[in-house]
Amino acid sequence: MNDTHDKSSGATADARDDMTAGDEPAAGGVESSGAAEPRVAAPPRAPSPEGEAAEDDGGAGTDDVDPDAGEERLVPLGNPLRWRGAAALAAGSLVAFVVMALAPRFRWGVPLGALGVGVATLGLLDLLGTFDDPPERVAARVGIRDLLGPLALLGGGLAAFLALITLSVAGYFSPLSLSRDGAPALISLAVPAVAIPAAFLTAVAGAFRIGERLGPGRLDEAGAPRPLLRRHGFWLVALVTLLYLPMLGSHSLIDPWETHYGEVAREILARNDWISLWWAQDGWFWSKPVLDFWMQALAMAAFGVRYRSGEMLSAVAEGRVPWPEWAVRLPVFALTLIAIYLLYKAIATIFSRRAGLLAGVVLATMPQWFLVSHQTMTDMPFVATMAAAMALLLLGIHTDEAREARVYEVDLGVLKVGLSGYHLVLGAIIACALPQILYLLSRHVEIQPAPFGVRLHGDVFSSGSPGNCGLPGNEACRSVLPVLPGLQPALQALIWAQTLGIVLYASWGERRVQRLLFLSAWFFAALSTMAKGPAGFGLPVLCALGYVVVSRRYRDLLKMEIPVGLLVLACVALPWFVAMYARHGQPFTDRLLFHDMFKRAFTHVHDTNEGDDVSFRYYVWQLGYATFPWTGLVPASLVWWLRRREGAAAGDGGASGGPGSADVRQSDASVFLAMWFIFGFALFSLMLTKFHHYILPAVPPAAMLTGILLDDMLRLEGGARRLARGWSDASSTPPSARSSAVVVYERAMLGAVAIGAAILVFFVGRDLAMAREGQPSQARLLHLFTYNYKRPWPQSLDFSATLWAFTVAAAVLCLLLMVARFRRHVLYALLSLAVVFTAWGLDVYFVRTSPHWGQRETLLAYMRARQEIPGPLVAYQMNWKGENFYAGNHLPVFVSSGKKFQDYINEQKKKGVKTFYFVTEHGRTSSLSNELGNPRFFEKLTSLELNNKFLVVRATFE
């Protein structure tokens, strides 16, 4: 923050005329490459030993000549320190630390802690003087009054969005009076389905208005104003929001993945332990890293989910039907949207805005992508953050290394604040690393508010599920000491604080856009590593190295911020892994690294593919369903890029054919995307453990290449029309024989592609729609993300006619692509068909099938029934985890029955309990009745039509 700048608020700097603005603010707020020459700013000021005094003198004492001034520094110097930032850093850190150290858990704890982390992050950035870039770097200036309107629009949209999510979670939009058979009527879901996307898009519009007033979003690539409704990126965000958000939280979590991971996240809050994860009756949870669970737990706490023992659906007793699904799925939606937008930005920057839009729409309408985006499993956090890293890496490779991030100054009256993409990048790193450091420190302090007391201690944690300790299936709660007592959390915090300090020092004066993009890529790779392990950074690194080798751009390795990036990876991704190892020792690493990663690669672990071909053809088979209705065009897109590379090598179409030409840049980007697909496909095809959703990392590059193919179809058709007009125009120069031959050849190729695409998409659609004995048919879409592919399809549902309609329409449209004169209209029709298919898949297919693959409706039926006739709920021969999540784990669980089960029932009967409720599978009701001694009253409370796999039974003893 600088209060010595020129006071002309609202004025625009002359340097703004040199700006190259995209159709949106560049990825992560960092400027991307464009056609204009970069404005080289003056070097940043070196820290003065006099601190504030030197700055107040306007740079007094800087006349001394630096003998190394002509040499480029390895670590760019930043602005002088602003010690006032230390106050905000200390205050914010103290608030967050106190919240973490409090023994009781309060409803406002997580939001208040997040606010403290935000204040501390801004304070640390201010301490480093990052808001004080010199005036010559300022591209635009604006007064705070000019931002009040957009800020109000953004704030109002966000406030409405958060309030609507909170009310939906609490069940205020789903009164019990509108429910039937334990399931809320669809009419009760209309308000959140409409209001929540509207509020979110209002916030998006507000964010754009801020960017427009501030400067980054003011001009398009040609230097002309482009309104919001003409922004390709906005329409992509709007489309994804309108497709993905309306019914995001309005249907059951799916067993087993969503409820497994949702229960682990719920236990984080119930146990108040953000390091050691607990898994209902299975004890410590060590099979997955922590990102997905942290995101879910933060959202549950922020939106008021009742996470304590037995309270998940307790609002039913108050006349409401709660929807905790909104909270647990929302973070995955956010990551999905970020990934799609960054991929759009990369393609739009290197190819064209239309290509980026088409690629984004193709990805958003691929079934595996849009279905997994509605799952709280670890795969989308893993792939979305990896895709974001790939997009930023692609942007960085094709950004001028001399270009610097522009500064946009806001006049707050008493001071001026210079904002740039630097603050987004480094702010995100700090905001993810700092709370982990503070939490580790808080493990040595316990604060009791009433009566007030503070206790210092070594690291002590507990096992067990609070409120459920000792229930059958749950072990007794007890205190546990770490396996490595010498590696206390405070020591770990010191290590990570030093690592973060090195990152900040090395990046203190860094303003080059290319380096900031690479740092952003490392940050998202770190998040991907936190989501599912080393593949999160391994696959991007492998693709980057492969790309450098193939393109022979070895010098790019020196620009990719590898040393600092590894430190970012360390301070963001590693603290949890190290803390877990310090607490649990070798059993943790044996389970996570060797059993769930290494062993899955070389043996079959938990998969359900008995009798299936699990060679490389396995994922060729699954990609057909994963990419429908684009299945026919994906294979063509995976080889079409070779033509572009041949053309770039020959210099066709480029101004110079040199390394900086558009054709070469596009060819290199195509190589990168192709290698991403090849490495992703090869890596997961070589693994012996195979689930259908493991191939998700190969879907984004396939979608990007398909979008580029669609854009080439439109571009080539336009070129053919211009060529035809030129041939018929006597005043123009006739086209060359080679140009005419190229047009004829390309049209023939695209015609062959159309015929092949029609045949392929028809046979894939037939597999989805046709009911054949021993084949899953309609369930194949669900199998793209579920577990145990042998589970029965509900007889009450039949989507075959709809799937046949989509199949025939997609095949006909693909076939019509062979007619050149109709190609443009056919492509738009195919895009429309994909959008309609996505809306149907998410709002009809998924919503109607989820009750049969989850347990929300059965547990709601129990909650309603016990209002009339009280009785405990018992899980009989169950281990799906939906029963744990929706019951807050407050139920006896008998994975296997027998004497222990019968002894428990007899013990409860002696205590006077006459009515019991049991959740079990339909095929186990006979054995349940026999083990209970065939009670006189044995009533099934739910039907096959509500849930064809699970049911609730009420047994009454006289």
Side-chain angles (χ1 to χ4, degrees):
M1 302 180 188
N2 194 341
D3 51 5
T4 63
H5 291 178
D6 181 14
K7 296 292 184 180
S8 56
S9 66
T12 304
D14 295 337
R16 194 192 73 193
D17 296 336
D18 297 328
M19 287 197 308
T20 303
D23 58 330
E24 294 83 20
V30 177
E31 173 200 4
S32 59
S33 60
E37 289 293 322
R39 178 174 61 85
V40 180
R45 296 169 291 174
S48 167
E50 290 81 24
E52 295 285 344
E55 185 179 5
D56 292 339
D57 290 340
T62 59
D63 294 334
D64 296 338
V65 178
D66 184 353
D68 298 329
E71 299 182 8
E72 183 179 359
R73 292 180 56 89
L74 180 63
V75 178
L77 288 176
N79 299 326
L81 294 175
R82 279 282 193 176
W83 291 105
R84 68 183 177 200
L89 172 61
S93 298
L94 179 62
V95 170
F97 178 84
V98 168
V99 169
M100 295 171 181
L102 280 170
R105 297 170 294 281
F106 295 103
R107 165 69 178 86
W108 43 263
V110 167
L112 183 60
L115 178 62
V117 170
V119 171
T121 299
L122 292 175
L124 183 51
L125 290 172
D126 189 24
L127 175 63
L128 296 175
T130 62
F131 298 108
D132 297 333
D133 282 354
E136 58 267 24
R137 278 187 173 168
V138 177
R141 296 185 175 92
V142 64
I144 187 60
R145 292 182 180 180
D146 298 324
L147 295 177
L148 291 179
L151 284 171
L153 187 63
L154 173 63
L158 282 177
F161 178 72
L162 298 176
L164 288 167
I165 295 289
T166 302
L167 292 173
S168 296
V169 167
Y172 284 102
F173 296 130
S174 301
L176 204 59
S177 58
L178 294 180
S179 302
R180 61 176 183 274
D181 298 328
L186 289 180
I187 191 173
S188 68
L189 308 178
V191 173
V194 174
I196 290 176
F200 182 78
L201 289 177
T202 300
V204 170
F208 167 77
R209 297 301 181 197
I210 292 174
E212 188 179 45
R213 295 282 180 88
L214 194 58
R218 193 173 296 171
L219 305 175
D220 66 5
E221 290 82 358
R226 181 181 290 272
L228 176 66
L229 298 183
R230 293 181 59 196
R231 302 287 176 124
H232 291 67
F234 168 75
W235 284 113
L236 179 60
V237 170
L239 178 66
V240 174
T241 300
L242 295 175
L243 286 175
Y244 286 21
L245 200 50
M247 301 296 287
L248 179 71
S250 297
H251 53 92
S252 176
L253 299 184
I254 304 298
D255 283 332
W257 305 126
E258 282 198 288
T259 49
H260 274 58
Y261 302 148
E263 174 59 15
V264 173
R266 188 199 66 80
E267 288 282 15
I268 288 177
L269 297 172
R271 300 175 67 250
N272 197 22
D273 187 343
W274 295 75
I275 297 177
S276 297
L277 306 180
W278 190 260
W279 198 27
Q281 63 266 16
D282 290 279
W284 300 118
F285 181 85
W286 294 336
S287 62
K288 292 292 184 293
V290 78
L291 178 65
D292 185 41
F293 313 117
W294 278 357
M295 293 193 308
Q296 290 187 60
L298 289 170
M300 286 185 195
F303 294 114
V305 172
R306 298 183 179 182
Y307 55 81
R308 290 182 173 84
S309 172
E311 296 184 8
M312 183 63 69
L313 300 177
S314 61
V316 170
E318 302 164 18
R320 303 189 308 274
V321 180
W323 290 98
E325 294 84 356
W326 276 105
V328 298
R329 286 187 177 132
L330 190 63
V332 178
F333 163 78
L335 288 181
T336 303
L337 186 61
I338 290 171
I340 291 176
Y341 182 77
L342 289 178
L343 286 169
Y344 154 78
K345 199 63 189 177
I347 301 303
T349 300
I350 299 169
F351 292 88
S352 68
R353 291 195 306 274
R354 184 177 66 187
L357 177 61
L358 292 172
V361 173
V362 170
L363 177 59
T365 54
M366 285 183 167
Q368 190 163 61
W369 183 267
F370 67 67
L371 289 172
V372 177
S373 74
H374 281 56
Q375 293 287 289
T376 63
M377 53 203 288
T378 57
D379 293 83
M380 186 55 80
F382 164 60
V383 176
T385 50
M386 180 197 298
M390 295 290 199
L392 291 163
L393 182 61
L394 197 56
L395 280 169
I397 291 171
H398 297 285
T399 296
D400 185 350
E401 62 179 306
R403 187 176 299 275
E404 294 197 353
R406 299 187 184 92
V407 177
Y408 302 94
E409 188 177 85
V410 181
D411 187 351
L412 300 177
V414 296
L415 49 83
K416 298 175 187 288
V417 178
L419 304 174
S420 71
Y422 173 92
H423 298 101
L424 286 179
V425 177
L426 273 296
I429 294 171
I430 295 169
C432 288
L434 183 59
Q436 298 187 67
I437 295 170
L438 294 174
Y439 186 78
L440 288 170
L441 290 173
S442 73
R443 296 307 84 204
H444 297 283
V445 181
E446 181 180 301
I447 300 176
Q448 290 286 352
F452 181 78
V454 177
R455 185 174 70 90
L456 303 179
H457 56 82
D459 186 29
V460 180
F461 55 104
S462 62
S463 65
S465 177
N468 310 310
C469 302
L471 282 175
N474 280 274
E475 65 180 63
C477 295
R478 58 187 177 87
S479 296
V480 183
L481 295 176
V483 172
L484 301 178
L487 190 56
Q488 285 290 313
L491 177 59
Q492 299 172 42
L494 179 61
I495 294 172
W496 304 126
Q498 290 175 336
T499 306
L500 177 61
I502 297 172
V503 170
L504 295 178
Y505 177 75
S507 307
W508 190 0
E510 186 59 79
R511 299 298 186 271
R512 290 169 292 184
V513 173
Q514 185 184 63
R515 303 304 178 96
L516 293 176
L517 288 168
F518 285 139
L519 281 178
S520 302
W522 280 105
F523 168 71
F524 277 103
L527 293 183
S528 186
T529 303
M530 292 176 68
K532 214 167 183 182
F537 73 89
L539 192 55
V541 167
L542 186 63
C543 290
L545 291 176
Y547 166 79
V548 166
V549 171
V550 171
S551 62
R552 299 181 180 179
R553 298 177 57 166
Y554 300 105
R555 290 181 59 85
D556 284 355
L557 290 174
L558 301 177
K559 307 172 186 176
M560 291 182 178
E561 294 289 327
I562 294 175
V564 181
L566 291 173
L567 292 175
V568 170
L569 184 71
C571 67
V572 172
L574 289 187
W576 177 82
F577 290 93
V578 174
M580 282 290 287
Y581 184 75
R583 281 188 170 185
H584 302 282
Q586 186 175 340
F588 161 67
T589 53
D590 285 349
R591 176 60 196 247
L592 177 65
L593 299 179
F594 295 102
H595 182 273
D596 285 285
M597 294 182 186
F598 181 82
K599 191 175 179 181
R600 288 194 182 206
F602 299 102
T603 63
H604 294 275
V605 178
H606 297 315
D607 63 9
T608 56
N609 297 306
E610 184 179 354
D612 292 336
D613 180 358
V614 292
S615 67
F616 81 95
R617 290 175 291 185
Y618 181 87
Y619 284 128
V620 173
W621 169 37
Q622 291 307 316
L623 278 173
Y625 311 128
T627 60
F628 182 88
W630 304 105
T631 309
L633 295 175
V634 168
S637 72
L638 295 177
V639 296
W640 184 263
W641 63 274
L642 292 171
R643 292 187 62 261
R644 186 183 302 278
R645 186 149 184 85
E646 291 172 359
D652 293 346
S656 64
S661 69
D663 277 352
V664 171
R665 293 171 66 237
Q666 292 172 7
S667 172
D668 286 351
S670 299
V671 170
F672 181 89
L673 292 170
M675 296 189 68
W676 178 5
F677 176 84
I678 292 169
F679 283 135
F681 182 86
L683 175 64
F684 294 99
S685 292
L686 290 173
M687 291 176 58
L688 291 184
T689 300
K690 288 182 170 65
F691 291 108
H692 296 357
H693 58 272
Y694 278 7
I695 199 57
L696 184 64
V699 170
M704 296 302 103
L705 289 169
T706 304
I708 294 168
L709 172 63
L710 298 180
D711 182 65
D712 279 351
M713 286 183 173
L714 295 174
R715 179 178 55 81
L716 293 173
E717 183 54 31
R721 288 199 303 270
R722 288 191 295 272
L723 191 63
R725 287 196 298 269
W727 183 267
S728 61
D729 188 353
S731 63
S732 63
T733 303
S736 65
R738 184 179 185 279
S739 298
S740 300
V742 167
V743 170
V744 173
Y745 174 70
E746 288 176 340
R747 283 190 166 185
M749 284 184 61
L750 292 176
V753 166
I755 295 173
I759 296 172
L760 183 57
V761 79
F762 176 80
F763 281 108
V764 170
R766 181 205 62 176
D767 282 354
L768 294 173
M770 180 180 289
R772 292 180 293 170
E773 186 176 355
Q775 296 295 323
S777 61
Q778 301 175 65
R780 290 189 189 275
L781 292 177
L782 279 174
H783 290 176
L784 291 173
F785 61 87
T786 55
Y787 172 80
N788 193 342
Y789 311 125
K790 310 292 185 183
R791 301 174 77 187
W793 177 263
Q795 295 182 358
S796 58
L797 297 180
D798 185 5
F799 299 118
S800 58
T802 304
L803 288 168
W804 269 120
F806 282 118
T807 297
V808 172
V812 170
L813 290 174
C814 286
L815 187 62
L816 288 176
L817 286 175
M818 66 182 296
V819 183
R821 71 176 68 180
F822 299 147
R823 188 167 294 147
R824 176 177 298 270
H825 304 291
V826 172
L827 279 179
Y828 292 149
L830 188 57
L831 287 165
S832 300
L833 176 71
V835 169
V836 173
F837 175 70
T838 304
W840 173 84
L842 290 174
D843 299 338
V844 179
Y845 178 89
F846 204 5
V847 171
R848 293 185 62 187
T849 55
S850 63
H852 298 275
W853 267 263
Q855 297 188 56
R856 172 188 169 82
E857 282 69 24
T858 55
L859 270 293
L860 279 173
Y862 160 70
M863 297 297 294
R864 295 186 66 182
R866 79 170 188 177
Q867 303 301 310
E868 301 176 1
I869 305 176
L873 179 67
V874 180
Y876 176 77
Q877 296 184 0
M878 293 280 286
N879 193 26
W880 290 95
K881 295 297 189 291
E883 63 276 12
N884 301 98
F885 177 81
Y886 284 112
N889 199 29
H890 190 65
L891 78 169
V893 177
F894 294 91
V895 178
S896 58
S897 54
K899 187 177 186 304
K900 288 185 178 180
F901 170 73
Q902 295 170 0
D903 289 345
Y904 174 79
I905 296 298
N906 291 332
E907 181 182 349
Q908 296 302 308
K909 288 164 64 176
K910 291 177 181 178
K911 293 179 180 179
V913 179
K914 294 184 177 181
T915 300
F916 294 84
Y917 294 86
F918 298 92
V919 58
T920 188
E921 298 181 48
H922 282 279
R924 304 184 187 274
T925 54
S926 296
S927 61
L928 171 61
S929 179
N930 291 334
E931 290 205 56
L932 292 176
N934 296 314
R936 181 176 179 182
F937 298 100
F938 189 81
E939 179 183 4
K940 296 180 181 180
L941 301 184
T942 58
S943 63
L944 284 167
E945 288 72 23
L946 180 67
N947 189 320
N948 77 322
K949 296 172 182 61
F950 308 108
L951 81 160
V952 172
V953 173
R954 179 165 57 200
T956 304
F957 298 88
E958 296 181 350

